[in-house]
Amino acid sequence: MRSELVHQFSEEQMAKVDAVIEAHRKVPGSLLVALEKAQDITLYLPVNLQRYIAAGMGIPPSKVSGVVTFYSYFSTVPRGRKVVKVCSGTACYVKRSGEIMDRLKQKIGVGEGEVSADGEYSIEEVRCLGACGLAPVVVIGEETFGLIDPEHVEEIIEKT
Ligand code: FES
């Protein structure tokens, strides 16, 4: 299983994942933390990596996939180091979030579900981020940008 994963991730990444498994496998209730740390290393958690972590931690694969699918923080598809989230909830939609999405895709040079050639960015449409008073809203990595002017949305990429 590990040799298959080394084709997907580097040996260095896998060594770090192994260290995470080793550090958490005997600690009750540490699955969530272990998965967060693993995703920080690999940027996403495909099913084969979930199975590898489950085997390493001695827990059923269904328990790992249950956690990964429950929390939107986790991704099973490749992501860039910075994930651009464009809110398409009602308040943002009426303030031209569709145009914002199109302009950001063009600026970054990716479609939804793709990763930029340098591995830096991926882009996702998300539902209401709970900041409707700031509509339209875009989140890049850990940073939230509100009251965005669709005409100048490209500038926020340069700020990140
Ligand atoms: S609709 Fe975009 S933050 Fe609520």
Side-chain angles (χ1 to χ4, degrees):
M1 194 191 301
R2 194 180 193 284
S3 57
E4 176 195 327
L5 286 161
V6 170
H7 293 299
Q8 235 166 316
F9 303 107
S10 69
E11 181 56 49
E12 190 189 345
Q13 285 175 308
M14 287 310 299
K16 288 180 180 171
V17 169
D18 287 341
V20 167
I21 292 169
E22 185 57 34
H24 294 86
R25 72 190 174 92
K26 289 184 181 155
V27 184
S30 65
L31 177 59
L32 185 59
V33 173
L35 291 173
E36 281 174 359
K37 288 185 175 178
Q39 183 170 273
D40 286 346
I41 296 162
T42 58
L43 302 178
Y44 73 112
L45 298 173
V47 171
N48 53 356
L49 182 57
Q50 291 176 36
R51 289 202 189 113
Y52 181 77
I53 293 169
M57 293 186 73
I59 55 178
S62 58
K63 199 168 174 187
V64 172
S65 69
V67 172
V68 170
T69 51
F70 183 79
Y71 292 99
S72 63
Y73 170 79
F74 295 115
S75 176
T76 58
V77 294
R79 275 176 161 173
R81 282 181 283 279
K82 292 177 190 163
V83 180
V84 179
K85 294 177 181 169
V86 181
C87 180
S88 64
T90 306
C92 292
Y93 179 78
V94 298
K95 294 194 174 173
R96 300 161 60 197
S97 65
E99 186 184 334
I100 288 171
M101 173 62 104
D102 290 344
R103 292 179 81 124
L104 286 175
K105 280 183 191 167
Q106 200 170 9
K107 170 77 178 171
I108 300 167
V110 294
E112 269 183 83
E114 296 172 354
V115 180
S116 61
D118 60 2
E120 196 64 9
Y121 293 101
S122 56
I123 191 162
E124 297 173 4
E125 181 180 308
V126 293
R127 304 209 175 198
C128 180
L129 289 161
C132 307
L134 296 176
V137 178
V138 171
V139 174
I140 302 180
E142 304 289 308
E143 252 185 296
T144 301
F145 298 87
L147 303 171
I148 292 170
D149 176 357
E151 308 294 330
H152 298 103
V153 68
E154 294 87 348
E155 290 166 15
I156 67 171
I157 293 293
E158 276 134 38
K159 288 183 193 160
T160 62

